[in-house]
Amino acid sequence: MSEEEGLGGSEGRRLTRLLDRHGQADYELDLSGLDFDHAAASVDRMVERQRFRDVGRSVLVRIDPATPDSGETLFGRLGRHLLDLKRRGLVATLAPLDPRYGAGFNLTLPAGREPAAGESLDGLLPDDDETPV
């Protein structure tokens, strides 16, 4: 029995619509084997570098898959971090990767932008508590 068959009909269809079923992107960021702090720092560096690019790009973010004895995986914590970046406009689209293609996320980074007058990029990154002016 597949994972979708274990759900009610409408729940399974909604889940299927949310998943990225392609498993392809312009770039791949492999965070396998990293703890949350290092994985989040890698994502933040990627977002920081994106501001220097003239075009958006898609990125496949890979993490270690869950196993019966793995305990908490990066999926939840890193997913919340990516959602926060999306709310800030630093990630354009975000979808969990279909488990057939591995564990992770497929996201799109918007084209870079120069900070507005008086605004520093530090204020855009999630670990900075200062509000941009």
Side-chain angles (χ1 to χ4, degrees):
M1 174 160 56
S2 74
E3 292 177 36
E4 289 177 23
E5 291 171 355
L7 300 173
S10 64
E11 290 175 341
R13 284 189 298 275
R14 282 187 296 210
L15 176 62
T16 300
R17 283 194 306 258
L18 289 175
L19 293 175
D20 171 69
R21 292 179 297 279
H22 303 292
Q24 299 174 353
D26 298 329
Y27 297 93
E28 185 171 317
L29 178 63
D30 189 354
L31 303 176
S32 301
L34 297 181
D35 62 10
F36 172 74
D37 292 333
H38 288 99
S42 293
V43 167
D44 291 345
R45 281 191 302 274
M46 175 183 66
V47 168
E48 158 70 16
R49 287 190 301 268
Q50 181 62 24
R51 82 175 180 110
F52 298 107
R53 301 191 185 278
D54 295 338
V55 296
R57 65 179 177 166
S58 59
V59 180
L60 185 64
V61 178
R62 293 203 181 273
I63 58 174
D64 292 319
T67 62
D69 58 343
S70 64
E72 183 181 19
T73 65
L74 281 181
F75 188 82
R77 292 182 70 195
L78 190 60
R80 286 187 293 276
H81 183 70
L82 290 167
L83 278 174
D84 183 51
L85 293 173
K86 187 174 188 303
R87 281 187 213 108
R88 295 169 184 249
L90 300 170
V91 170
T93 64
L94 174 63
L97 191 59
D98 187 314
R100 292 179 289 185
Y101 301 110
F105 302 92
N106 201 333
L107 55 98
T108 305
L109 300 174
R113 68 174 180 91
E114 288 300 314
E119 177 184 54
S120 72
L121 186 64
D122 292 336
L124 297 175
L125 292 177
D127 50 350
D128 190 345
D129 292 333
E130 295 180 14
T131 303
V133 179

